[in-house]
Amino acid sequence: MDLIHAQRDSGIQGKQALTLVFVETKKGPDSLEHWLCLNSFPTTTIHGDRTQQVMS
């Protein structure tokens, strides 16, 4: 969390710092996404049980 806060605090105006987090279980990303959203961090998750959109 210290790294995520530091990235947000030192970000360049108009630029969004991106962070990739790996977790051990498929439930982990959903729980982490929920917690981060509650704490004002925009997030998205991907894992094998979730459909993923193809961007063109």
Side-chain angles (χ1 to χ4, degrees):
M1 288 310 304
D2 291 339
L3 284 172
I4 293 173
H5 281 288
Q7 279 187 318
R8 183 171 62 180
D9 294 343
S10 66
I12 299 169
Q13 184 108 11
K15 290 277 189 171
Q16 197 174 36
L18 302 176
T19 304
L20 182 62
V21 178
F22 291 90
V23 296
E24 192 171 336
T25 67
K26 289 180 183 177
K27 288 183 181 179
D30 296 328
S31 298
L32 182 59
E33 178 184 32
H34 179 72
W35 189 87
L36 287 169
C37 285
L38 288 175
N39 288 279
S40 301
F41 289 97
T43 64
T44 190
T45 60
I46 59 173
H47 56 69
D49 289 341
R50 177 165 294 174
T51 58
Q52 298 174 30
Q53 296 177 342
V54 176
M55 304 296 280
S56 49

